[in-house]
Amino acid sequence: MSFMGPKGNTTTIGHKKQDKKQASPLGIFGILQHQILPIYIPAANSSRFVPSEFAALLRVTVDGVLVCSSLVYQREMPKNLILALLVLVVDFGGCFTEGLNNTSGSTRPDVVNIASILTFDSIIGKVAKIALQAAIEDVNSDPTILSGTKLKLNLHDANYSGFLSIMEALQVMETDAVALIGPQSSVIAHVISQVATELQVPVLSFTATDPTLNSLQYPFFVRTSHSDLYQMAAIADIIRYYEWNKVTAIYIDDDHGRNGIASLGDQLASRGCQISNKAPIKPLATKTDISDVLVKVALMESRILVVHTYSDRGLDILDVAKHLGMLDSGYVWIATNWLSTIIDIDSPLSLRTVDLMQGFITLKAYTKNSNTTRKFASEWRNLTTLGLSTYCLYAYDTVWLLARALDTFLDKGGNISFSKDPKLQGLRGEILNYNSLSIFNGGDLLLQDILEVKTEGLTGVIEFTSDKDLVFPAFEVINVIGTGVRRIGYWSNNSGLSTTRPETVNTTTPSQSSSSELLQTVIWPGHTVQKPRGWVFPGNGKQLKIGVPHRVSFQEFVGESRDNLAFKGYCIDVFTSAAKLLPYALPYKFESYGDGVRNPSNTKLVSLINAGVYDAVVGDIVITTNRTRLADFTQPFIETGLVVVVPIRTSSSSTWAFLKPFSPSMWCVSGIFFLVVGAVVWILEHRVNDEFRGPPRKQIVTVLWFSFSTLFSSHRENTLSALGRMVVILWLFVVLIINSSYTASLTSILTVQKLSSTITGIESLIQSTDPIGYQENTFVEDYLIGELGIHPSRLVPFSLPEEYEKALKDGPHNGGVAAVVDQRSYIELFLSTRCDFSIVGQEFTKTGWGFAFPRDSPLAADMSTAILELSENGELQRIHDKWLMRSACSSQATQFEVERLELSSFKGLFGICGLVCLLALIIYFARIIHKFTKHYPTDIESSGRSLQSGRLQTFISFVGEKEETITAHSKRKHFEGSSSKTNANDESIYSNKISRRDLSPNT
């Protein structure tokens, strides 16, 4: 029985530290007089009240208050039982006094038991055992932790057996251990966590990295290292960084291996990659079993191998791979942290072991290089000859994590007590004593204290997220080179791959770019720095079955020889030339698809790849959106698009052909502007320029001559005024544009070919109602109907180019078609020998031809690289010239009837010219009016004419006078005015003198 002390501390009665003094009954009654007793009393007529039963329900709270812990009686207590109750209270007086004595502080236990399950003889178990013992010793010798309470570690050896691990764990649960460190295996952790959840004992493991152990199913499991989820994310980033798409996963087929690889698959999928093959190895596999698995891996296409196993089994896998020649160049081996564990613990490695790891990439948990870590590493060398692994650091930190949580637990008054599990009542066993499996009453509180610890350990910051994961997961990316290793970069959950230490990366702006600086240069297997392709054609002797369309037309692209069933043509030559450039042998055979009567459907042919009929398709296969959903295509080896073909006829010259470049309105407006500009220039120049003065007849001839001579820039009159020069310069620019347009249009008209129909491109073809021809079993029909909205009744399918020719010549009114729509590649070949037809309008789609392969096939990428190489070295053009070059009509430039130049094309030009002329006239007349008012302010003849007509006649006369005459007149008038003013002033002075003399008093 236990009770709560101050601050919620629970003290167990009977503990050796408890005070043996008993309180007197009087003391108890004194307490009862001052405390409220929430005791529920049975009814007076109850015959079922038993004092001993009632006493078992009593306990004392921190204030000494009696309560009834579970049963509540609703009846009145018989009066004759009151005395029995008081005697019962007296019997428990010592307990109550004990509770009161503990109100000032809880008593900590001298020793707290914890347990650990390891495989002592394993690589990790050897060093983990030493690290745990060192941590226990350091904790017990540190007076600042646990306040004198000592930790006692009970180590149990699983001896590589899952069964023994389970039995050891159950035996641990029979003891008074408050926590279990381990187990070492994720497989056993699943089982032990079930038991721990029932008995409420926290399980702390630094080696069980299975991501599924984080689930809500295991609330008492706490991982004190990083989950494999982050390790697999790092590997997925490495694979994406090197632009590989598929990997083969080699793993131990247990919970640890399966769940880790499942996480890898999820991480790869989120990055556009995938696991193409899985190679599971049974947990107790022999080298023969491993060899059987790796032989199958060697026959697969992918050469990117991810190995997820245990440190004790990893070297066996590599030894078998070495024997099979799978550690040579061309392979990529990426190991999880089991490999770095071997390198750290078994250092220095034997030359044979190092030879097995050459070129490997592996991960190692990142730990910050601190003073405490360096100090521990120095002390580690005094403890053992084994190397220091990150698992040692995590084991050491786990003990300190538990110690700090226990310290908090005891400070809060946590009680180290156990109670029987009612679910185990009645079970019997000879090996296990089920009744000895007890529930740790404070397990839930201790678990919360563990998850709330925030401290600094050897591995860095120790703090848990809401998902019970350690914060700041980070790894070092290591490349095994020679007799050692080389760090080529880092990975963290915040920054991804980087050459910068995780703690120095700006976590607010994570970097996931594909920069070349994310990882340093890697030495790959085979001692090469060139990045492996990651894929080869499997060497199992199987030939690729390649489908080839059996065309009946345009066999220059794909043709079949009826003699030996061989294939020829442009597409076949491109494929065979590209296949020769592959860095591996590509066995294949062509198979014909089609009946030889009609051209087959290429879309149906591509769909047979998914059906498993063909491994690839080679031919004139247009890359369309629908087809890319069925297969992967290579880089296009020829660009093409849809064009419109119509019949043409040669244009014949006419007598008045020179008038055709301009429309009538254009001719009229041009002539008017010639006259207007000439008149404007005459107005601006005739007052200052003698060449624009003279008799009226001469002036008219001058204006006409000047206007039309500007057409050839041969006018002889010079312009003197600034406004006149401005108008002339702009007009000469307009004349230049008109002259150039006329010349170009006339040249085109005299050399043009005329269309035999009104179809000038796809737009006019859509608007018409005439029939349209197309090549059957191609995507053209679906495009015309689905994309352009042409009614199916207008479409006429053809198979042979001869059918094209006849239908175009017959025309839509004689059972033929107005135009044919087909791919440019076919049409250029069609037009090479037929000069009566031509392409009109622009190419209205942009597509290309490629070779089709199954989805995600690496062959598509390798063939694309080979096609690019053919293009760069000129071989692709040579193949094109061999099959598709024709000289009859292909070099003839295609020209069509040119429409007349309309006035609308020159509205802006004429508008600017007219506006400038108007502004020049406004400025000119403003200046004339200003000069007129200045020189003739009151010069109006006083005759019979009206004032207005006289002034207007004077103004017109003024405008017609030459500028020099006006200037001379102005000067003369100004001189006369000055003289008159001088004489008047002299007369006034003389008069004043006479007046003063006459008025003198001396007179």
Side-chain angles (χ1 to χ4, degrees):
M1 179 175 181
S2 62
F3 60 90
M4 302 296 294
K7 301 182 182 179
N9 295 329
T10 302
T11 304
T12 303
I13 297 177
H15 196 279
K16 63 181 180 180
K17 286 289 185 178
Q18 290 176 341
D19 192 356
K20 300 298 182 180
K21 294 189 298 181
Q22 301 293 328
S24 65
L26 183 60
I28 294 299
F29 283 109
I31 296 173
L32 297 178
Q33 292 175 359
H34 295 86
Q35 303 292 338
I36 299 175
L37 303 179
I39 302 176
Y40 296 89
I41 308 299
N45 57 354
S46 174
S47 60
R48 301 176 58 187
F49 179 81
V50 180
S52 61
E53 179 182 347
F54 185 78
L57 305 175
L58 295 179
R59 63 184 177 89
V60 181
T61 66
V62 294
D63 296 322
V65 180
L66 291 174
V67 298
C68 181
S69 62
S70 58
L71 299 179
V72 177
Y73 293 90
Q74 300 295 332
R75 300 168 184 165
E76 296 181 5
M77 179 187 290
K79 295 180 180 180
N80 58 356
L81 293 179
I82 295 177
L83 182 59
L85 175 60
L86 294 177
V87 172
L88 181 63
V89 171
V90 170
D91 289 338
F92 281 90
C95 298
F96 298 152
T97 306
E98 181 78 17
L100 294 176
N101 291 336
N102 282 314
T103 58
S104 61
S106 63
T107 302
R108 287 174 176 254
D110 288 341
V111 177
V112 175
N113 292 321
I114 60 176
S116 178
I117 301 176
L118 300 171
T119 300
F120 292 165
D121 197 34
S122 66
I123 293 177
I124 296 176
K126 291 176 183 178
V127 294
K129 178 182 177 182
I130 299 173
L132 290 176
Q133 291 173 336
I136 292 292
E137 182 179 348
D138 291 346
V139 168
N140 289 336
S141 62
D142 191 340
T144 64
I145 192 75
L146 289 176
S147 300
T149 299
K150 304 300 182 183
L151 292 182
K152 181 181 179 181
L153 176 65
N154 298 313
L155 290 168
H156 299 266
D157 186 8
N159 197 23
Y160 289 103
S161 172
F163 173 74
L164 289 181
S165 297
I166 297 174
M167 299 307 295
E168 291 283 354
L170 292 176
Q171 290 180 10
V172 168
M173 299 302 179
E174 293 180 359
T175 66
D176 293 338
V178 298
L180 174 64
I181 298 178
Q184 187 172 321
S185 168
S186 296
V187 178
I188 308 305
H190 281 275
V191 179
I192 300 305
S193 296
Q194 296 278 8
V195 180
T197 300
E198 178 64 27
L199 301 181
Q200 299 184 16
V201 176
V203 176
L204 293 81
S205 179
F206 54 90
T207 54
T209 54
D210 179 0
T212 61
L213 288 169
N214 279 46
S215 65
L216 298 177
Q217 182 182 3
Y218 309 111
F220 278 82
F221 177 84
V222 179
R223 182 184 292 107
T224 57
S225 61
H226 294 298
S227 166
D228 279 341
L229 174 67
Y230 302 106
Q231 186 173 203
M232 298 307 175
I235 292 176
D237 277 346
I238 292 173
I239 292 170
R240 184 186 64 172
Y241 170 67
Y242 287 112
E243 299 178 343
W244 296 314
N245 296 323
K246 294 183 178 182
V247 302
T248 296
I250 303 172
Y251 59 97
I252 299 298
D253 193 14
D254 59 10
D255 290 341
H256 171 74
R258 285 192 300 269
N259 295 331
I261 293 302
S263 295
L264 175 62
D266 294 340
Q267 296 295 328
L268 288 173
S270 66
R271 292 160 175 79
C273 308
Q274 65 174 350
I275 298 176
S276 59
N277 301 289
K278 293 183 179 180
I281 300 174
K282 61 184 181 181
L284 299 178
T286 64
K287 284 194 174 183
T288 301
D289 298 328
I290 296 174
S291 179
D292 293 339
V293 173
L294 294 187
V295 166
K296 295 179 182 178
V297 172
L299 296 177
M300 297 174 182
E301 295 89 348
S302 176
R303 286 294 183 264
I304 311 300
L305 308 180
V306 177
V307 185
H308 184 50
T309 181
Y310 300 104
S311 301
D312 304 272
R313 303 308 309 274
L315 292 180
D316 292 337
I317 296 176
L318 300 190
D319 190 35
V320 174
K322 176 70 174 179
H323 177 71
L324 296 176
M326 298 176 65
L327 302 182
D328 298 332
S329 61
Y331 283 90
V332 174
W333 289 84
I334 301 176
T336 51
N337 59 353
W338 63 266
L339 185 60
S340 62
T341 301
I342 295 175
I343 296 172
D344 289 339
I345 296 177
D346 289 347
S347 180
L349 298 172
S350 65
L351 293 179
R352 181 179 180 278
T353 302
V354 170
D355 186 53
L356 296 176
M357 305 176 182
Q358 290 302 301
F360 272 58
I361 291 179
T362 185
L363 299 178
K364 177 183 177 181
Y366 174 75
T367 57
K368 187 177 179 180
N369 189 14
S370 62
N371 292 330
T372 55
T373 305
R374 289 191 292 270
K375 180 180 178 181
F376 181 80
S378 177
E379 295 175 352
W380 181 263
R381 288 190 289 270
N382 299 325
L383 298 175
T384 179
T385 58
L386 297 173
L388 179 63
S389 167
T390 54
Y391 282 113
C392 305
L393 305 181
Y394 280 116
Y396 187 90
D397 283 350
T398 301
V399 174
W400 274 93
L401 166 67
L402 180 57
R404 296 187 185 281
L406 279 169
D407 193 34
T408 304
F409 173 78
L410 295 175
D411 281 345
K412 292 179 179 179
N415 176 32
I416 307 299
S417 64
F418 298 83
S419 59
K420 301 300 180 182
D421 188 349
K423 296 180 181 179
L424 299 177
Q425 298 298 323
L427 293 178
R428 296 291 183 269
E430 297 180 358
I431 300 177
L432 289 175
N433 184 5
Y434 294 105
N435 292 327
S436 65
L437 296 177
S438 302
I439 297 175
F440 177 29
N441 296 327
D444 188 65
L445 179 60
L446 178 59
L447 174 65
Q448 296 305 316
D449 291 335
I450 291 173
L451 296 177
E452 291 175 1
V453 169
K454 296 181 180 179
T455 185
E456 188 84 14
L458 297 180
T459 58
V461 177
I462 300 176
E463 182 182 346
F464 292 96
T465 66
S466 59
D467 296 328
K468 297 195 300 182
D469 280 325
L470 285 178
V471 296
F472 309 132
F475 294 91
E476 297 180 37
V477 185
I478 295 174
N479 182 210
V480 182
I481 304 172
T483 58
V485 297
R486 172 171 165 264
R487 184 193 305 114
I488 60 174
Y490 302 90
W491 181 93
S492 70
N493 196 37
N494 292 324
S495 62
L497 294 175
S498 175
T499 55
T500 307
R501 292 182 179 274
E503 66 267 17
T504 62
V505 176
N506 184 5
T507 59
T508 59
T509 56
S511 173
Q512 293 289 349
S513 66
S514 58
S515 169
S516 59
E517 298 180 356
L518 294 184
L519 290 177
Q520 296 176 3
T521 303
V522 177
I523 305 297
W524 303 101
H527 304 283
T528 177
V529 295
Q530 183 177 3
K531 184 191 76 172
R533 284 189 315 275
W535 183 91
V536 295
F537 192 80
N540 54 8
K542 178 185 175 182
Q543 286 186 323
L544 284 181
K545 187 188 296 184
I546 300 178
V548 180
H550 187 183
R551 296 191 57 87
V552 297
S553 63
F554 301 110
Q555 295 191 7
E556 290 85 351
F557 295 105
V558 180
E560 182 178 354
S561 175
R562 299 185 181 274
D563 298 334
N564 52 11
L565 298 179
F567 290 88
K568 60 182 181 179
Y570 171 74
C571 299
I572 302 299
D573 280 6
V574 171
F575 178 83
T576 54
S577 299
K580 293 178 182 178
L581 296 178
L582 296 177
Y584 47 84
L586 182 65
Y588 60 87
K589 62 177 180 179
F590 293 127
E591 291 192 2
S592 178
Y593 174 76
D595 55 12
V597 178
R598 303 172 60 189
N599 290 327
S601 171
N602 286 341
T603 300
K604 293 181 180 179
L605 177 57
V606 172
S607 67
L608 293 179
I609 295 178
N610 276 341
V613 177
Y614 298 116
D615 298 313
V617 169
V618 171
D620 52 337
I621 313 298
V622 181
I623 303 174
T624 63
T625 303
N626 290 334
R627 291 174 184 174
T628 56
R629 298 189 180 102
L630 302 174
D632 279 353
F633 285 84
T634 63
Q635 169 83 16
F637 56 87
I638 187 172
E639 292 185 357
T640 185
L642 296 182
V643 293
V644 179
V645 179
V646 297
I648 59 174
R649 58 184 175 85
T650 305
S651 175
S652 57
S653 301
S654 63
T655 305
W656 303 101
F658 68 92
L659 295 176
K660 291 183 179 180
F662 289 162
S663 63
S665 58
M666 180 65 184
W667 281 115
C668 293
V669 172
S670 298
I672 292 173
F673 261 84
F674 273 102
L675 297 176
V676 168
V677 170
V680 170
V681 172
W682 178 84
I683 294 174
L684 299 175
E685 291 289 324
H686 82 283
R687 299 184 72 248
V688 296
N689 194 339
D690 291 336
E691 295 182 358
F692 288 89
R693 299 185 65 82
R697 178 178 298 180
K698 178 184 176 183
Q699 296 303 302
I700 293 175
V701 173
T702 300
V703 169
L704 294 176
W705 167 254
F706 178 84
S707 298
F708 291 100
S709 62
T710 56
L711 182 62
F712 310 101
S713 300
S714 60
H715 54 285
R716 61 175 181 269
E717 293 81 8
N718 295 322
T719 52
L720 302 180
S721 66
L723 293 176
R725 290 176 177 175
M726 181 181 68
V727 172
V728 170
I729 290 174
L730 179 62
W731 175 243
L732 290 177
F733 174 75
V734 174
V735 169
L736 175 64
I737 299 299
I738 294 175
N739 194 8
S740 300
S741 302
Y742 176 84
T743 303
S745 180
L746 181 61
T747 303
S748 300
I749 289 175
L750 296 177
T751 59
V752 78
Q753 292 174 320
K754 291 187 176 180
L755 302 177
S756 298
S757 67
T758 59
I759 303 301
T760 59
I762 188 62
E763 293 80 7
S764 59
L765 185 61
I766 294 173
Q767 295 173 0
S768 71
T769 58
D770 296 333
I772 303 172
Y774 70 96
Q775 187 177 173
E776 64 177 348
N777 288 331
T778 62
F779 79 100
V780 178
E781 179 182 11
D782 294 336
Y783 185 86
L784 294 177
I785 296 174
E787 300 295 331
L788 302 183
I790 297 176
H791 197 275
S793 61
R794 294 179 56 192
L795 302 181
V796 181
F798 299 117
S799 294
L800 301 174
E802 292 76 13
E803 295 176 353
Y804 285 8
E805 183 177 9
K806 182 178 184 304
L808 288 172
K809 287 182 177 180
D810 291 342
H813 303 294
N814 297 317
V817 296
V820 169
V821 176
D822 205 348
Q823 298 176 61
R824 177 177 287 275
S825 300
Y826 298 125
I827 295 303
E828 287 181 347
L829 190 60
F830 171 78
L831 296 177
S832 64
T833 56
R834 297 171 177 85
C835 304
D836 296 334
F837 310 96
S838 182
I839 298 173
V840 294
Q842 298 295 321
E843 200 173 323
F844 54 94
T845 62
K846 285 292 184 181
T847 57
W849 292 356
F851 304 132
F853 293 91
R855 297 299 300 271
D856 302 320
S857 171
L859 255 180
D862 287 353
M863 288 295 291
S864 295
T865 303
I867 290 172
L868 289 175
E869 187 174 346
L870 289 177
S871 177
E872 292 173 356
N873 61 24
E875 181 66 15
L876 195 61
Q877 183 62 43
R878 188 195 65 78
I879 298 173
H880 180 277
D881 296 342
K882 171 186 174 182
W883 289 100
L884 306 180
M885 191 60 131
R886 297 290 185 270
S887 58
C889 299
S890 58
S891 61
Q892 178 178 312
T894 304
Q895 295 178 325
F896 312 111
E897 184 176 10
V898 179
E899 296 182 358
R900 290 181 173 182
L901 297 175
E902 298 290 342
L903 177 62
S904 58
S905 302
F906 299 90
K907 280 184 178 180
L909 195 61
F910 283 129
I912 294 173
C913 182
L915 180 61
V916 170
C917 291
L918 179 62
L919 291 176
L921 290 177
I922 291 174
I923 294 172
Y924 172 76
F925 282 110
R927 292 172 59 187
I928 291 296
I929 293 173
H930 175 71
K931 289 182 179 181
F932 175 74
T933 55
K934 180 179 179 181
H935 295 297
Y936 299 97
T938 56
D939 289 355
I940 302 174
E941 296 292 338
S942 56
S943 61
R945 290 174 296 182
S946 65
L947 179 64
Q948 292 182 356
S949 60
R951 190 171 182 83
L952 177 61
Q953 184 177 6
T954 304
F955 177 75
I956 294 173
S957 176
F958 175 79
V959 171
E961 292 181 2
K962 193 175 181 180
E963 183 71 21
E964 296 176 355
T965 304
I966 299 298
T967 303
H969 175 72
S970 177
K971 290 181 178 180
R972 184 174 60 254
K973 183 176 180 181
H974 177 71
F975 177 77
E976 292 176 353
S978 299
S979 300
S980 300
K981 185 176 180 180
T982 303
N983 294 334
N985 290 336
D986 292 341
E987 290 178 0
S988 176
I989 293 172
Y990 180 74
S991 300
N992 290 334
K993 289 181 179 180
I994 296 176
S995 298
R996 285 195 300 269
R997 187 174 59 249
D998 292 340
L999 295 175
S1000 176
N1002 298 325
T1003 303

